[in-house]
Amino acid sequence: MRLGSVCSFRNESVDAKNVDLETFVSTESMLPNKAGVRKAESIPPSGKVHLYRKGDALISNIRPYFKKIWQATQDGACSPDVLVLSPENCSSDYLYWLLSDDSFFDYVTRTSKGTKMPRGDKDAIMKFAIRDASSKEQFMIAEILNPIRYKIALNAQINGYLEELLLEKYTEIFSETSATSGTGTIADIGEVAGGATPSKKRPEFYTQEGIGWITPRDLSNTTDKFVSHGADDITQLGFDSCSTKLLPAGSILFSSRAPIGYIAIAQRPLATNQGFKSVIPKAEVGTAFVYCFLTMNKDRIAGAGSGTTFPEVSSSTMKGITLNIPTEEACLKFSAWANPLLAQQHALERENRYLAVLRDTLLPKLLSGEIDLSSIESPTQLNSHLFD
């Protein structure tokens, strides 16, 4: 069968001036790895935008962001760079899972058109080959995969609440004058460290299992707060060939260009490319304080960057960002409260990574029929069938 036999593009549009920011979806607000959407930062000032309805599948339609997908939980509008597919001869859940498989994203990439910013070809998308699954199979596939999706979403929601608590506690403690000891700079609370890139012409500098090496693009492709690896690791030879620095676990990664302000915590010793000005916290200050300070002040730091084409925060600028220096006593108090919370966030992220691997392993096997669901009579038989 072809994809066009089970869905169609929703072509309804509306003036951007009539759109609600709360329900507007842009390519930038769609999260990677099937993680849903966040609130968009803005709406186009004029022109037409697409409408979507609850249950529709939204996919980003610019090549660098093709692997972004969301199943609408309400009615709303989206930017023209987002395609809206509406189910017709299948369930909305089944359509979502059909479009979530890597084979679909790879197909869209291969058939995309354009040179500078390639976009998916709508005619080609409708010709994507799918298996003719019965209504019962469609239902069973959703019954297997939806609980994984909901658990991942719940863990992410809990981590969002924990993040709010963390930043509120930081503000509560360090807004007190007794918790600070005068004005200083980032250089007073930690070491600012840059990174570098081993030569791309030397394949022996790169590996899949070596020293973790992070680029801003890696952070753009994850919602995780704790990181240990990017798309590529580097070898010891690659590490020694350039001026990158090994950052200890607990260092705060801060992207300093393209764009400024991605923040993550090093889960283990790792290195970065030159797109970071990371901070290695002083022991008496701790990871929790530095992370919260950078998170709360990333816009101010970005505003201090210079450059026209690609604004960048230099090492000297990063070191010179001012702050009220926390007392050692206040940092100890905050770390004692915050560290168990950070550990819980890390545990939930780790569980979500395992669940995502399970989801992405099952998905192609279910869609292709490799896992035979024809003998399953009810959802209660699914676990025994899958894990016998």
Side-chain angles (χ1 to χ4, degrees):
M1 297 174 62
R2 301 297 178 184
L3 182 63
S5 64
V6 298
C7 68
S8 63
F9 289 108
R10 188 178 294 280
N11 293 316
E12 301 173 80
S13 61
V14 65
D15 287 335
K17 62 183 180 181
N18 296 323
V19 170
D20 180 0
L21 186 60
E22 294 296 321
T23 58
F24 183 72
V25 175
S26 66
T27 294
E28 292 77 15
S29 69
M30 299 182 75
L31 298 173
N33 302 323
K34 309 175 186 71
V37 296
R38 59 175 171 241
K39 185 177 178 180
E41 295 183 359
S42 63
I43 297 172
S46 62
K48 296 285 187 178
V49 293
H50 295 159
L51 289 177
Y52 65 82
R53 305 296 181 189
K54 182 178 179 180
D56 286 345
L58 279 63
I59 57 173
S60 177
N61 194 37
I62 303 178
R63 181 180 288 177
Y65 308 106
F66 277 156
K67 290 192 175 184
K68 291 184 175 183
I69 183 170
W70 177 59
Q71 184 182 24
T73 56
Q74 77 263 325
D75 295 350
C78 58
S79 70
D81 288 330
V82 177
L83 297 179
V84 181
L85 289 94
S86 179
E88 290 186 342
N89 297 310
C90 69
S91 69
S92 58
D93 285 346
Y94 182 67
L95 176 62
Y96 170 80
W97 290 116
L98 272 178
L99 304 180
S100 294
D101 188 38
D102 279 348
S103 63
F104 173 72
F105 291 126
D106 293 342
Y107 173 83
V108 174
T109 301
R110 290 195 310 272
T111 59
S112 61
K113 292 184 177 181
T115 53
K116 189 175 181 180
M117 292 293 283
R119 284 164 168 74
D121 181 271
K122 295 175 73 172
D123 290 336
I125 288 173
M126 287 292 108
K127 294 176 182 176
F128 175 67
I130 62 173
R131 189 174 66 89
D132 185 7
S134 67
S135 297
K136 176 184 172 182
E137 286 180 296
Q138 294 180 27
F139 172 74
M140 290 296 180
I141 289 170
E143 284 294 301
I144 294 169
L145 296 174
N146 279 349
I148 301 174
R149 173 167 52 147
Y150 299 150
K151 177 57 175 170
I152 290 174
L154 177 61
N155 285 351
Q157 186 178 39
I158 293 171
N159 261 353
Y161 293 148
L162 294 176
E163 188 76 357
E164 291 178 9
L165 287 175
L166 178 68
L167 297 176
E168 286 175 3
K169 190 70 172 180
Y170 164 85
T171 301
E172 174 190 325
I173 290 178
F174 295 102
S175 61
E176 298 177 4
T177 55
S178 60
T180 58
S181 58
T183 302
T185 67
I186 284 181
D188 295 315
I189 62 171
E191 177 188 351
V192 175
T197 299
S199 173
K200 294 289 187 177
K201 297 179 180 179
R202 300 284 296 275
E204 66 270 25
F205 288 170
Y206 293 89
T207 182
Q208 288 302 303
E209 294 185 10
I211 299 170
W213 182 72
I214 309 296
T215 70
R217 184 176 180 84
D218 291 322
L219 296 191
S220 75
N221 288 328
T222 183
T223 56
D224 285 353
K225 177 175 179 173
F226 300 87
V227 298
S228 57
H229 295 278
D232 297 301
D233 282 2
I234 57 175
T235 62
Q236 187 64 49
L237 190 64
F239 180 85
D240 294 338
S241 73
C242 64
S243 59
T244 192
K245 181 180 178 65
L246 193 66
L247 305 173
S251 299
I252 316 303
L253 279 59
F254 187 93
S255 68
S256 55
R257 67 182 190 187
I260 298 171
Y262 284 143
I263 300 174
I265 299 175
Q267 180 183 334
R268 50 173 281 182
L270 52 77
T272 73
N273 76 349
Q274 60 273 24
F276 288 89
K277 297 298 180 289
S278 303
V279 181
I280 304 171
K282 289 185 176 179
E284 64 271 22
V285 175
T287 293
F289 175 86
V290 176
Y291 170 81
C292 290
F293 172 78
L294 293 178
T295 299
M296 297 291 283
N297 290 274
K298 64 181 179 181
D299 291 340
R300 179 163 69 95
I301 298 172
S306 59
T308 53
T309 305
F310 293 107
E312 181 173 3
V313 176
S314 68
S315 180
S316 60
T317 297
M318 190 70 170
K319 291 176 182 178
I321 296 295
T322 59
L323 74 156
N324 292 324
I325 299 298
T327 65
E328 185 172 342
E329 181 183 4
C331 285
L332 287 172
K333 176 183 176 182
F334 182 58
S335 293
W337 183 91
N339 287 345
L341 185 149
L342 294 176
Q344 179 64 18
Q345 287 185 310
H346 182 204
L348 289 171
E349 284 188 357
R350 186 171 60 246
E351 181 179 25
N352 272 3
R353 286 195 292 271
Y354 293 146
L355 289 170
V357 170
L358 175 61
R359 174 199 65 199
D360 294 341
T361 301
L362 288 173
L363 178 56
K365 296 178 183 293
L366 290 166
L367 293 178
S368 67
E370 181 180 343
I371 296 177
D372 183 12
L373 300 176
S374 61
S375 61
I376 302 297
E377 297 298 330
S378 68
T380 58
Q381 297 180 6
L382 289 174
N383 284 343
S384 60
H385 178 76
L386 286 172
F387 300 110
D388 277 349

